[in-house]
Amino acid sequence: MLELNKVVLLLSVLASVALGQGPVRTRSPSDRSRRGAFNAFTDTQTIGVTEWTSWFNIDHPGGNGDYERLEAIRFYYREKVCVRPAAMEARTTDWVAAADTGEVVHSSLEKGFWCINREQPQGRICSNYHVRFQCPPVQSYWTDWSEWGSCSTTVCNDVGIKVRQRKCVNTQPMPLLLVPACLGHHSERRECSNPPCTAKWGPWGRWGTCSATCGGGRRIRRRTCVRTSETVQCTGRPVEIQKCGKSPCQAKCQLVCSEGRPNDDCSQCTCEDHVLHGEVRAVTGVPVPEAWVALDSQPKVIRALTDAKGQFRLTGICSSSSTLIAIRKDRFAPITVSSSSNATGLSWVRVVLKSAEKPYIVKHPEDKVRFEGGRVMLCCKATGSPTPDKYYWYHNGTLLDRKLYKYAEDLVLWSLKPEQSGQYYCKTSSSAGSIKSSPALLTVIAKGKPACNSTPETHFIRLPMDCVQHGTDSMHYNTGRCPHNKCSGSLDFDMRCRDEAGFCCGVQNTESRIIDCGSYSLPIRAVTHCGCQKCLQPTVLVRGRVVTADNDEPLRFGHIYIGKERMGTTGYQGGFTLQIPPDTQRLVVNFVDPTQKFLDTPKVFILDKKGGSIYHNVKVMRKQTPIDINAGETNSINLGEIEGEDPIGQLVIPPNSFHKDNGEIYEGTVKASVTFIDPRNITTAAAAPGDLNYVDSEGDMLPLRTYGMFSVDFRDETNKEVLGAGAVQVLLDTQHVKMPEHIPKMKLWSLNPDTGVWEEESDFSYTATTTGGHGRSKREERTFLIGNMEIRERRLFNLDVPENRRCYVKVRAYMSDKFLSSEQLEGVVISLINLEPKPGFSSNPRAWGRFDSVITGHNGACLPAFCDAQRPDAYTAYVTAMMGGEELEAAPSSPKMNPNIIGVSQPYLDKLDYQRSDHEDPALKKTAFKINLAKPNQNNFDETNGPIYPYQNLMGCENAPIDANHFRFFRVEKDKYEYNVVPFEENDLTTWMGDYLSWWPNPQEFRACFIKVKIHGQKEVMVRSKNHGGTHRETKGKLYGIRDIRSTRDMREANTSAACLEFKCSGMLFDQAEVDRSVISVLPQANCRRTSTNSLLQEYLLKHPPVAQNNESHGFTMLAPVDPLGHNYGIYTVTDQNPRVAKEIAIGRCFDGTSDGFSREMKTDSGVALTFSCPERKINRESLFQRLQTNPAQTLSQMGRSMRELDGMQVQRLPTRIVAYPSEQQARTQGRRVTSTTRRRVSMRTQQRQ
């Protein structure tokens, strides 16, 4: 045997040398799958002579890299690769060994070779590799073990053996002398045993038929014994007998009928010769044809159908008794009515069917917090027609067992446990549909845990520009804050739908600190401890202005409805303010023009539950001028009139389709006004009614993509009575549907004005017609989609497609263009308009498809949008941001895109094609940006970090870290600063703290005060107000805060600007016990001199002592007025329930210089309180650098002489020095100690006078 091994080894070496491969390279198995560069890979376990295969290359380095998988190679080249290769070699197609490429690669004799592009350094991509394998032509090896065979015995409770085998394989047989045998055994044995013998009954069969239907009988059921051996038996009986048919046999029907006879089941009387006459109409009085008529006792048996006039006849109904009749029809709410008879014996029923309305949640469950062992009630209520009658409750998406929890509209949980924490929502349904409520978060705090985390969160505030902390050079300071989370407090009753006195985590303790700013110090109140206390309930406001989409004409004195209730009226300029209940989840507001000039427009408004007042610029469409049409003819009305383009569709109204409210057919002239919201006109996007959502069969609210909306208004010849229309056809030209997959899904929808939700009216079908369109030289055939509808109560319709290609776009708003994470803005309304671009012109959109708005929170906003994975520009978006009526500026895209400024990294940024609105024309506004909505590829690492997220990953978008990709907006007010000693965030009213030094003393009412300061000078000037306590014992001499603002240039007057400077109003402090006259110092931050003071203001201050001293001309000091003075004094005071709104109104009045106006352009000729002259300092002497250039010798000599003189001063410490200069001028210093600063000044004076 030893000699045989020597021969084999010798042949192996000789074959290797003959093949030119050199010695076989070996590696340990642990190195096989490590990363690195390599050339050959060997396996020392193979016995025998080896040879190399041909080269294989089945992949190229495109996509993610180059993959030469052994499995794939075997698939394409089955016979050319051995079962167990001994080695592998990889080279590029340029014949460079893998070890010399410097690339990161992977290898395995079991898997093959692969190289991944994203692992390569410096953005390189992998080379194109081909590989070959070393195979032994003579090889002996064992195959894998077979599966274990069956046990040798089949008897239960017995012992046997089972066997498995393997084979010794020789791939190419050679003389036996040269083929070493496989080592080991070809079979293995193992003991096996069968389980003990058992006998069990199978399940019971079904009960047989009862032997009698009444008077007593019996029925039988059986079961079978299942056993593994004849030696065991089942215990029990195989048959069961049960009594049945116990009800007594009834005698002959005892029903006595005064008229007719009993029916077959003896349930009621029937009269074959009597006829019940009925009539069914809609609410508008129109007959309802093809309605189902049935008896209420047998609702599934259709007894009759209404005819074209809405009438029906039922035979067999007796007149002497009242009969319940059930009537149903699609898109109408079912109804049950009772028949009536008169003295003549005639029976009739008249029915009015209401349109079916899908369920709509009017009471949502609310977030609650409880301790372990407590109890809680979650409430849900829905309306609809018919009224929803089924409620289902879900916990974290799992349906709760109704029998276990015994719930209906309300869900009550007892003996709460921590694992019952989570999201709860209800789902309700009726025959019209289903809907889900908003989720409510239930938090159950385990025993022994505090209700709130007492440690404050980190919260940085920005310090003034001239305040740099010693040692850190930081301009931010951590004041801490408490998260405004709900907590479990002491409730008077814990089983209400809404906890009357909610508890939240809030500030329990603060401490006063001093911030060292170098040249001065600032006081600050920092949070040290948080605790559970009653929540501050901020006032939730919605404000805005209603104007037309074409020319911004205001809707004057328009009616405002929420549901059926009128809530107010718009002002003369279209303005409105609504106070919203804090438990409102979805706010639908309907604006109605009593003059009928504008369309009635329902809007779904977003809310800021933290009390921020959201400003909405509401656009409405002007009604189309009515045209006269003949009611007795077929009429066609175009939908969408754009010059040079075909209409999107048509309304086709058959003859005699118009009817009055009483159902009477109208004949004559009809005043027809059809207003179309054309998606090809982007300016109409903001006028879209509702929020373009619908509710699917599962109750989820999903988005729609519109191809146009229209409102119809048909009136009689006098233009007074509103007319309805039946069997109206809607034609949609398919040439305007550029996405073919949308055509089969197109539907016609109508808007529910109370809920703001679109509800399905009808499907569309195909038709073809011949027509000559705009600019067509000949008539041609075009394809239309046809839908049918009836114009009843609803007058707003939509051509829409449910779109499932959805994403979320991450957007953040900042205080400035520095984009600091600590300066994010909350309460900013971000709006996104989905656009569909023209082919090849992504910057020129064909049409808009959807309009959405979202409010930024503490972590930005996620806007829903349509997106596409195949074509990056299939959908684009136009995004804007607004805060309190002010448009924010988007991150710039020109002259060069900077990913660090835009907030999105490359190469994804190029794919999204980010462009600010001024990208191509600098003259345009900078308040919007446009992007491609390319759905992220989850296999591409660069696209998994935002700013676009898949629709299923909403949580990933909402919880994205600040360094993840996102788009950015910022406020243009770069030269504005506010500092409060007691920190407060005006966009989150829940951060208010009751403190004597709080800038705003009352969290329910905010009073903003501004003073107008005029500046004469060539440049704008920063103006500061320092605000101290004046007369209150708790605040006297203490700082409230600082305000800085840069003056704004008056474009009408040269070298003149003005600043509207905020100051701390005088008035009651938070304890409402005593008034504080705050002391205000106005200090321009430049070389300024006060030249005049408003005479009325000066007179007021003198008449309302104490009077502040104003001995210095570079500033002005006063005790703030208590009275709300007006523009005649240069003081502007506004009180509102929201601080930002109060300040915006006051600033607008200050800019305008009036007490009731509003302007964004500074007017310095009116309403001024203080005037300063701030001339620019002229440089009238040469600098040291300039003198060194013009006369270096004399300058250096003078510098040396000055330094020697200063050294003499330091040694002698004389009280005064008189130094003679070559120019025979003299300089005198004061008799004081000479400091380093004084020495520098003397040196500078000495140099100057040379």
Side-chain angles (χ1 to χ4, degrees), residues 627-631 658 666 668-672 714-716 723:
I627 60 174
D628 292 339
I629 61 177
N630 189 339
F658 294 100
Y666 176 81
T669 302
V670 177
K671 300 284 187 182
F714 299 139
R715 296 177 182 265
D716 64 0
L723 303 176

Side-chain angles (χ1 to χ4, degrees), residues 48 164 212 244 338 416 431 496 535-536 657 797 895 1020 1163 1220:
R164 68 174 182 174
C244 59
S338 176
L416 290 169
S431 59
R496 293 188 178 96
C535 298
L536 174 65
S657 295
F797 300 92
E1020 294 90 348
K1163 301 174 183 178

Side-chain angles (χ1 to χ4, degrees), residues 1143-1162:
K1143 292 167 71 170
E1144 289 292 336
I1145 296 174
I1147 291 173
R1149 293 177 180 177
C1150 179
F1151 269 61
D1152 195 53
T1154 62
S1155 294
D1156 55 0
F1158 189 89
S1159 176
R1160 283 292 181 184
E1161 296 182 0
M1162 181 60 73

